[in-house]
Amino acid sequence: MRVTSLALAGTLAALSGCRSGPAPLPPPPVTAAQPPAAVQRTPAPKPRIALVLGGGAARGFAHVGVIRALEQEKVPIDLVVGTSVGSLIGAIYAADRDSFDLEWTAFKLERDDLFDYGVITAVMGMGAAKGDKLEEFVRSHVKVQNIEDLKLPFAAVATDLNWGTKVVLDRGPLARAVRASSSIPGVFQPVQHMGKLLVDGGVIDNIPISVARAKGADIVVGNVYDKYGTRNPLYRVMVDGYFRSLSRLLPRPMPRRVLEVGCGEGHIAGWLTERAPSTSLAALDLSPGMLARAGQRYASVEFVCGNAFELPFASRQFELVLFLEVLEHLPDPRRALKEARRVCSGQLVASVPREPIWRLLNLLRGAYWRRGGNTPGHLQHWSWRSFRRLLQESWTVEQTATPLPWLIARCCLKGDA
């Protein structure tokens, strides 16, 4: 009986101890799963689109068609850059952004609206027309007076006649800027503007893509023609013939130090580096924008900004100097050839369009009728005889080639033949 009482007492004590311990914790509350927070994305910056309008009377009306097509496709234009007739069309469009009015203005345009020919002007001046009518035409068709007041940012490209350099006109009197950009040498008198004597911008840069790029354009649209990249089968045959003839005239082996004057976007410089990778090649041009793009394509070439009349190189620094499709654009090719002699210790290879074949081919394809077939920007014109005479003034002509429609000559310094 006593054992039973003790057992009962122990059981009660154990139960009492369990009641005095901590209470169990409640289970955690169940919460619904939260959706992940949405990631905020910064919208990509809108690309800046530039409309670039080049020179050439026939191309002027094509510009209007390009602008109409861009409007129909709702392509936004943020900047307009023009050379020669492209500056005229571009200025009118930048003022109103209305392609219909632009097309109507172009349709009504007559030669007498722009050209003020005169016998005295032709005899006493540097052009057959003064250009006053052209300037007045712009004033009468554009309401604003200054470039800064246009609805779209605008720049006209002209050429400094004294220095052969490109001049970008993006502020000041609009009509004067268009007149300067459109003053074709021999047709209009040069224009005094901003302390410079200016002529048609096509002399230096007929399609001023580099100006648009320098002003921040991400995309460039307009009438652009790349003769080296053309798919036209006939022109492709002629370009291939040019490069075959050039290849035969280049000295072999290629000299160690070579300079190309007027390299543009570096097409020929790239071609040369593929043929002679061990050659140290320098390539010079006036356009920083073109040189920047060329440098991205051809990293092994030393691209230098400068002009053909004052080459930024030491005397006799190069064993070969190239003037390929450059001399016809220069107001004073003799001065350029003299400067080439200074930096050259060996040979010169030069090429130019062959006249009158070049003009005839332009006329046959319906180009530049009002210019008599002359390509915009061509200030000089040579037959084979006249080109040879030019070279022989300071060089000895060694070998020649005539791939249609060009003239190519390899020369050496006089006394080295």
Side-chain angles (χ1 to χ4, degrees):
M1 181 72 179
R2 182 173 178 83
V3 173
T4 305
S5 298
L6 290 172
L8 179 61
T11 303
L12 291 173
L15 291 173
S16 175
C18 288
R19 259 196 306 270
S20 64
L25 295 174
V30 178
T31 58
Q34 298 294 324
V39 178
Q40 294 185 353
R41 296 183 179 179
T42 304
K46 178 187 168 206
R48 184 172 168 83
I49 301 176
L51 175 63
V52 175
L53 305 175
R59 184 177 286 153
F61 290 94
H63 290 332
V64 179
V66 169
I67 293 171
R68 286 295 302 274
L70 292 173
E71 278 195 355
Q72 290 171 0
E73 297 297 326
K74 297 183 173 16
V75 176
I77 300 301
D78 303 302
L79 166 70
V80 180
V81 179
T83 289
S84 194
V85 70
S87 71
L88 173 61
I89 300 295
I92 297 174
Y93 180 69
D96 288 329
R97 303 183 67 170
D98 188 334
S99 65
F100 180 80
D101 286 345
L102 176 62
E103 187 172 15
W104 181 242
T105 300
F107 178 75
K108 294 187 299 179
L109 187 63
E110 298 289 342
R111 179 188 296 265
D112 292 340
D113 293 332
L114 304 179
F115 295 93
D116 43 4
Y117 292 112
V119 175
I120 296 178
T121 302
V123 173
M124 302 297 294
M126 296 175 65
K130 291 191 295 183
D132 292 340
K133 276 192 173 183
L134 171 59
E135 191 169 347
E136 182 57 37
F137 178 86
V138 177
R139 287 199 189 97
S140 63
H141 286 78
V142 179
K143 297 177 183 177
V144 302
Q145 298 298 313
N146 293 318
I147 295 175
E148 302 94 308
D149 300 327
L150 293 169
K151 291 182 179 179
L152 284 174
F154 171 77
V157 178
T159 300
D160 187 325
L161 186 60
N162 290 323
W163 294 99
T165 56
K166 180 164 52 184
V167 179
V168 179
L169 306 172
D170 54 6
R171 61 179 61 88
L174 174 65
R176 194 72 171 177
V178 171
R179 175 179 176 180
S181 178
S182 305
S183 292
I184 305 165
V187 178
F188 289 102
Q189 290 187 356
V191 178
Q192 286 284 354
H193 185 50
M194 298 177 61
K196 298 179 175 66
L197 189 63
L198 303 178
V199 294
D200 193 305
V203 172
I204 293 296
D205 193 354
N206 197 45
I207 305 175
I209 296 174
S210 60
V211 176
R213 296 290 189 192
K215 288 187 169 292
D218 302 301
I219 300 173
V220 175
V221 295
N223 276 351
V224 179
Y225 179 67
D226 176 11
K227 66 183 176 184
Y228 295 111
T230 179
R231 296 184 180 180
N232 182 303
L234 179 58
Y235 204 90
R236 189 70 258 164
V237 168
M238 291 192 290
V239 171
D240 290 344
Y242 173 85
F243 278 101
R244 283 195 300 271
S245 296
L246 178 61
S247 178
R248 287 195 296 268
L249 262 64
L250 289 174
R252 296 186 183 179
M254 278 288 286
R256 189 168 57 87
R257 296 167 299 173
V258 178
L259 168 66
E260 183 193 0
V261 180
C263 64
E265 294 191 348
H267 295 285
I268 293 178
W271 177 78
L272 285 170
T273 55
E274 291 178 0
R275 290 178 50 83
S278 61
T279 293
S280 174
L281 176 61
L284 177 137
D285 200 272
L286 280 168
S287 170
M290 283 189 176
L291 292 173
R293 292 194 296 278
Q296 293 173 354
R297 292 180 180 179
Y298 312 108
S300 63
V301 180
E302 178 191 1
F303 290 100
V304 180
C305 189
N307 71 75
F309 304 124
E310 296 179 355
L311 297 174
F313 303 106
S315 297
R316 303 179 73 82
Q317 182 173 342
F318 300 97
E319 297 159 287
L320 173 64
V321 176
L322 305 174
F323 271 87
L324 304 177
E325 298 190 80
V326 175
L327 293 171
E328 66 270 19
H329 297 282
L330 301 180
D332 190 353
R334 286 179 173 81
R335 181 181 169 191
L337 289 172
K338 182 179 179 181
E339 179 68 355
R341 278 184 58 90
R342 182 184 68 80
V343 302
C344 183
S345 62
Q347 295 173 303
L348 168 83
V349 174
S351 70
V352 296
R354 184 176 186 176
E355 299 291 2
I357 296 174
W358 184 275
R359 292 196 188 201
L360 290 174
L361 289 175
N362 276 338
L363 292 173
L364 287 173
R365 66 187 182 92
Y368 315 127
W369 278 88
R370 291 188 179 184
R371 292 173 175 260
N374 181 41
T375 300
H378 285 196
L379 303 182
Q380 313 294 337
H381 308 92
W382 291 288
S383 65
W384 175 228
R385 288 185 178 182
S386 60
F387 183 53
R388 191 181 186 99
R389 284 197 300 269
L390 171 72
L391 295 174
Q392 287 176 334
E393 290 178 10
S394 51
W395 300 82
T396 298
V397 178
E398 293 182 319
Q399 190 175 350
T400 62
T402 56
L404 187 72
W406 287 279
L407 302 169
I408 310 178
R410 187 182 72 212
C411 311
C412 66
L413 294 169
K414 278 195 170 182
D416 292 348

